[in-house]
Amino acid sequence: MTSPHSLRADAPSTPCMDAAATVRTEQAGLDALARALEDPNGLGGAFGRAVAILLGIQGRVVVTGIGKSGHVARKIQATLASTGTPSLYVHPAEASHGDLGMVLPSDAILAFSNSGETTELGDITTHALRTGQPLLAVTSKATSTLASTATLALTLPAMPEACPMGLAPTTSTLMQLAFGDALAVALLRQRGFTASDFGAFHPGGRLGARLRTVRDVMHTGSAMPLTAPDTPMRDVIMEMTHKALGCVGIVGQNGELAGLITDGDLRRALDHDLTTTLATNIMNPRPLTIDPDALASEALRVMNARRRPVTALFVLDPAGRPIGVVHLHDLIRAGVG
């Protein structure tokens, strides 16, 4: 198969033309991979068996590879670990010098090698055969040594590299990466891995902040601005000022949230006699609320969804009783906004 880079030596070329040709070559590889994964009698069927094998082990997925395939293997191992599949990367050369001790009988081995003839993988594959561990080989050569000795060969389509000499791993490593990501996502789905689980593995940075729950950032107890429906507006203002969240929740006889008064409602009620007007006369009886286990990012989405954005949400228990308040400023301080 001819690479789009196979042009005459005297053919005009520019960096942007070369870039576009590279992307198209690699895109063709991904398209071929997607078609192969849709074939239940080919790679698609093998992929399903690989997922079943990895779901069935009691230990970890030991990911290995060397050179460019090794770099891909490290990334796939990190993705597996962060999405609920216990895993580790073992360098083939280091495995031959003691790191095979990291590989337990309950583990499975996932080996990446485009040619399937990588000599450095010899000791780790021999170890798998000796102990009876599942060995899954991701390669482009179905007749290679690695594929023939593996418990399951996952043979990727043979596609031209984007390198004009056809030598530097480009298309092949991109296909390996996409295949590994597909495997990690399939395992994630089969395990029922949730956004909350993901957040537990990513507590740091902006991603960790967006995966925090409302429960983590809400104001609770005496910090909640609450009052009864028959409270005079003069006292409602005092409660709103004291709690400094820009709102007051109106609580019914059974403790349920009956309504909400915001500082905007107060401004719109300035023509009332605030000494005789009651909270029930001003409140919004259908305020926006949120569940305590909702993601903080969901709270931000709800706040911004209205034509006139809100700055605070009451957090309710299953019986509709307020157990907290989350404010826009809390989300910003937490790194969500």
Side-chain angles (χ1 to χ4, degrees):
M1 191 174 296
T2 303
S3 167
H5 281 287
S6 300
L7 304 172
R8 299 192 334 269
D10 59 347
S13 177
T14 65
C16 59
M17 291 171 60
D18 289 340
T22 296
V23 171
R24 290 194 185 98
T25 302
E26 295 190 343
Q27 184 178 44
L30 292 179
D31 289 341
L33 177 60
R35 290 192 297 271
L37 285 167
E38 292 170 345
D39 181 4
N41 298 316
L43 182 59
F47 183 88
R49 292 192 292 276
V51 170
I53 290 171
L54 297 182
L55 286 174
I57 62 172
Q58 298 300 310
R60 306 152 302 172
V61 180
V62 178
V63 191
T64 190
I66 201 164
K68 304 302 185 293
S69 293
H71 295 306
V72 171
R74 287 181 184 273
K75 188 275 177 188
I76 296 306
Q77 181 274 315
T79 301
L80 288 168
S82 70
T83 54
T85 298
S87 59
L88 74 158
Y89 173 80
V90 173
H91 193 286
E94 297 298 337
S96 302
H97 294 276
D99 279 5
L100 278 176
M102 300 167 62
V103 185
L104 304 177
S106 57
D107 296 338
I109 296 172
L110 178 63
F112 286 83
S113 172
N114 186 44
S115 68
E117 300 295 345
T118 306
T119 57
E120 291 88 347
L121 288 172
D123 288 338
I124 199 167
T125 56
T126 299
H127 177 78
L129 293 173
R130 184 170 61 249
T131 60
Q133 292 168 303
L135 171 61
L136 281 58
V138 181
T139 178
S140 296
K141 303 293 189 297
T143 59
S144 64
T145 301
L146 180 61
S148 61
T149 58
T151 307
L152 178 64
L154 298 154
T155 307
L156 308 186
M159 298 295 289
E161 302 287 6
C163 164
M165 297 174 290
L167 299 176
T170 46
T171 307
S172 60
T173 48
L174 182 62
M175 292 168 66
Q176 287 178 343
L177 185 64
F179 182 87
D181 284 343
L183 190 60
V185 171
L187 290 166
L188 174 156
R189 290 183 181 277
Q190 292 297 311
R191 295 183 193 279
F193 196 76
T194 66
S196 295
D197 297 324
F198 195 80
F201 293 156
H202 298 77
R206 184 173 177 84
L207 179 58
R210 293 186 68 85
L211 290 170
R212 295 175 72 182
T213 65
V214 169
R215 192 187 299 276
D216 296 328
V217 296
M218 68 185 187
H219 300 267
T220 61
S222 61
M224 290 189 293
L226 298 172
T227 192
D230 58 357
T231 303
M233 284 303 300
R234 179 181 55 192
D235 296 332
V236 171
I237 294 172
M238 294 297 294
E239 176 73 357
M240 185 181 296
T241 303
H242 179 62
K243 300 299 173 62
L245 290 176
C247 65
V248 174
I250 312 304
V251 179
Q253 290 184 345
N254 297 321
E256 78 285 0
L257 185 69
L260 179 72
I261 296 176
T262 67
D263 51 6
D265 295 323
L266 283 181
R267 289 192 296 272
R268 288 185 287 274
L270 288 178
D271 59 344
H272 292 64
D273 182 349
L274 299 183
T275 61
T276 58
T277 302
L278 304 181
T280 189
N281 303 132
I282 302 298
M283 71 181 190
N284 171 10
R286 293 184 295 277
L288 291 174
T289 62
I290 198 161
D291 185 86
D293 295 317
L295 293 176
S297 57
E298 173 64 10
L300 183 63
R301 187 198 67 78
V302 171
M303 288 180 180
N304 290 326
R306 286 286 184 91
R307 182 174 58 86
R308 181 181 294 152
V310 300
T311 58
L313 296 172
F314 266 86
V315 186
L316 306 185
D317 68 10
R321 296 184 294 260
I323 58 174
V325 184
V326 60
H327 194 277
L328 176 62
H329 293 165
D330 303 321
L331 300 176
I332 293 174
R333 280 192 292 269
V336 178

